[in-house]
Amino acid sequence: MSVPPDDPRDVAPGTPADQPGAPVDQPPVASTDPVPEDGDPVLRVRVQGATLDDLRAFADEVQPDPGCRAVAKRTDTGYSLDVYLEQSRLDTARGARAAAQVTLDVVADETANGRARQQEVGTGDRYAARGEVPRGLGTKEQPR
């Protein structure tokens, strides 16, 4: 893949913005809120099938989000795979043609889990007080 010469990724740092090929403004960073903008909660769904072909057919038809690492696990009855679907897409996924060969079980409401975890995040600067060991997880070392 070649990058066109006027591509912003191919511009040396410090190039004035009014010159051709200068970097363009970046779009705003997406929100870290675990709820999509439309308020549709995201669910973790376990897809189980007798064969890997059953899981593949379901994934090809429904196009769920497999997350960072789509790995089918061997079970006593076949294979399972955890995927992420919006609540509104779950009924559609259950009605898919390939869904007849798999079972779908909602494992967790990841939107609710994300909101609960965000409540655990502290406020303020935990490094502000000199000589005090910060609170929170991790290895604590005493000040010298």
Side-chain angles (χ1 to χ4, degrees):
M1 176 181 134
S2 67
V3 177
D6 61 345
D7 190 324
R9 295 172 291 180
D10 196 32
V11 175
T15 303
D18 58 344
Q19 290 184 359
V24 295
D25 290 335
Q26 297 296 319
V29 176
S31 169
T32 57
D33 188 7
V35 178
E37 289 179 15
D38 59 2
D40 197 9
V42 176
L43 306 173
R44 182 164 34 114
V45 178
R46 182 154 299 137
V47 182
Q48 298 180 55
T51 67
L52 288 173
D53 287 334
D54 293 340
L55 294 181
R56 276 190 207 103
F58 177 80
D60 288 344
E61 183 177 350
V62 176
Q63 300 275 313
D65 181 355
C68 297
R69 199 172 151 199
V71 177
K73 297 177 183 171
R74 185 95 165 105
T75 65
D76 294 338
T77 59
Y79 296 90
S80 73
L81 175 67
D82 284 1
V83 297
Y84 298 92
L85 285 169
E86 292 86 6
Q87 176 78 45
S88 62
R89 291 187 57 206
L90 184 59
D91 289 335
T92 304
R94 286 188 169 135
R97 197 172 52 228
Q101 303 302 317
V102 297
T103 58
L104 302 175
D105 297 312
V106 175
V107 176
D109 180 343
E110 295 301 347
T111 298
N113 290 344
R115 282 197 172 132
R117 296 303 306 261
Q118 285 180 345
Q119 297 305 312
E120 298 172 13
V121 177
T123 58
D125 183 357
R126 64 186 194 144
Y127 298 101
R130 288 255 186 228
E132 285 191 34
V133 178
R135 301 175 319 276
L137 302 175
T139 303
K140 311 299 190 275
E141 294 184 14
Q142 294 300 322
R144 297 179 201 202

